[in-house]
Amino acid sequence: MSAIETKSLTKSFGNVIAVNDISFSVESGEIFGFLGPNGAGKSTTMMILTTLLKPTSGQALISGFDVMTDAKKVRESIGYVQQETTVDEYLTGRENLILQAKLNHIPKNEINQRIDSVLELIELTDKQHDSVVTYSGGMRKRLDIAGGLLHRPKVLFLDEPTVGLDIQTRRKIWKYLKKIHDEFEMTIFLTTHYMEEADQLCDRVGIIDGGQIQVIDSPKNMKNAMGNEVISIIIEDEENLDSFSSELQKIEFVNKINVDGPKLTLFASNGTEVIPKIFQISSDLKIKIVSIALTQPTLDDVFISYTGHEIRDDDSKFNRKREHAKMKRLRA
Ligand SMILES: Nc1ncnc2c1ncn2[C@@H]1O[C@H](COP(=O)(O)OP(=O)(O)OP(=O)(O)O)[C@@H](O)[C@H]1O
Ligand SMILES: [Mg+2]
């Protein structure tokens, strides 16, 4: 039995189709990630899977329980760590966890021992008696994650677990998540718009854009499928762009081209053979190349290849949009 299974899952808000006919499954014990830009439908999918939103159509099962007809059983088998931190700043770390344990109806005689073990796991034992107001962003997130583990869920959902955190803190959170996964043999479903997070943490990744899944595979397979090399070109002006791109497409060893304004990305199986030909064509067409780079494929390149655009990592814009969507949800 799969830990998560969806069949043609769809969610519309008026005429916005936030999640559009999504079918996928996550096996027990996997770390699975949804990678996509702002507004892709990641949080909406997660809210359906955690029973907080009803789908417009389609089906979703968690550990075999239907989110619509067996919502209570679903809630008992999952942990959910929201994107916004939910801890109370004026309580200590431990007091927050006691509150969480009571909300989750954990037997009284087990509360202390369970809290001790999660605090140890996320290395907050030393800080447990300090008010959360003194915690850093990374420590608050760790406390949030600890709260989601107290009732020992089979499936842990994390919505953008490291958004807004600096890269060192982000790496620490990845370390804790791997530890949690190994220790509790837990299935983890997370959403992210960070390439590196998907690459480092996930066994399999679903690229989601415009409410639809573009591809699902392991990061390694996705990168391998791109060919051996990626050539990124920026040209000075876009006047002869169409003829340039169609000539480049004809070069032997070029598998695919993406054009995003003055930036062209070529996926090639033999980059060193291709580069001299690029210069020949640009010179024939009188196109000035501002920069050209030959690299190994990254998940970023995979994303471009499937969606035709880059995943934009602009946290300020991200937060504004997210706040706006949250307000809309509150009003709805
Ligand atoms: N309650 C709502 N009412 C109307 N539209 C909504 C609502 N919730 C989400 N949407 C819209 O659905 C689409 C998907 O939103 P969702 O929050 O699922 O995206 P996301 O991938 O989580 O994005 P982000 O990276 O910004 O968190 C967006 O166009 C969003 O504006
Ligand atoms: Mg979201």
Side-chain angles (χ1 to χ4, degrees), residues 39 41-44 83 159-160 191 318 322 329:
K42 305 181 297 295
S43 296
T44 305
Q83 192 175 311
D159 198 358
E160 306 259 1
T191 69
F318 169 83
R322 188 164 55 74
R329 269 201 282 269

Side-chain angles (χ1 to χ4, degrees), residues 24-70:
F24 70 101
S25 57
V26 178
E27 293 316 308
S28 197
E30 260 192 304
I31 303 184
F32 183 90
F34 255 3
L35 174 70
N38 300 145
K42 305 181 297 295
S43 296
T44 305
T45 307
M46 191 167 273
M47 287 172 84
I48 296 171
L49 299 179
T50 53
T51 77
L52 296 171
L53 266 182
K54 285 192 168 58
T56 308
S57 60
Q59 200 188 21
L61 305 173
I62 311 292
S63 304
F65 301 119
D66 190 305
V67 294
M68 294 284 277
T69 55
D70 262 328

Side-chain angles (χ1 to χ4, degrees), residues 12 21 23 31 66 90 98 160 162 184 191 197 248 253 268 271 315:
S12 307
D21 197 21
S23 302
I31 303 184
D66 190 305
Y90 297 100
I98 293 172
E160 306 259 1
T162 65
F184 294 115
T191 69
E197 184 154 286
L248 294 179
F253 306 119
D315 278 346

Side-chain angles (χ1 to χ4, degrees), residues 175-311:
K175 187 186 92 180
Y176 293 122
L177 291 177
K178 279 186 184 156
K179 213 160 111 183
I180 289 163
H181 169 259
D182 295 347
E183 203 145 310
F184 294 115
E185 292 175 355
M186 204 176 265
T187 307
I188 296 183
F189 179 100
L190 61 92
T191 69
T192 185
H193 68 285
Y194 296 125
M195 288 293 162
E196 201 187 345
E197 184 154 286
D199 205 359
Q200 295 287 319
L201 205 52
C202 298
D203 299 314
R204 285 191 310 143
V205 173
I207 289 182
I208 177 167
D209 194 35
Q212 289 182 310
I213 294 180
Q214 311 296 328
V215 61
I216 296 181
D217 210 333
S218 67
K220 190 167 170 235
N221 284 349
M222 282 189 194
K223 287 185 274 186
N224 285 347
M226 292 282 88
N228 308 331
E229 278 143 348
V230 179
I231 303 165
S232 308
I233 308 169
I234 297 175
I235 56 171
E236 193 169 70
D237 74 67
E238 296 171 36
E239 202 178 322
N240 278 334
L241 185 62
D242 287 347
S243 34
F244 187 43
S245 108
S246 70
E247 285 305 310
L248 294 179
Q249 187 78 68
K250 292 180 198 155
I251 302 175
E252 198 187 353
F253 306 119
V254 170
N255 304 330
K256 196 175 172 185
I257 298 188
N258 271 109
V259 182
D260 191 4
K263 184 173 177 197
L264 294 97
T265 311
L266 279 67
F267 302 97
S269 45
N270 188 344
T272 39
E273 291 275 329
V274 171
I275 284 187
K277 294 187 177 129
I278 296 174
F279 282 114
Q280 185 60 54
I281 294 167
S282 67
S283 143
D284 291 349
L285 291 171
K286 302 201 168 26
I287 283 175
K288 186 157 181 239
I289 292 177
V290 179
S291 76
I292 184 161
L294 178 70
T295 52
Q296 301 294 307
T298 63
L299 213 49
D300 235 319
D301 300 312
V302 176
F303 190 87
I304 293 173
S305 135
Y306 279 100
T307 65
H309 57 87
E310 284 183 56
I311 190 164

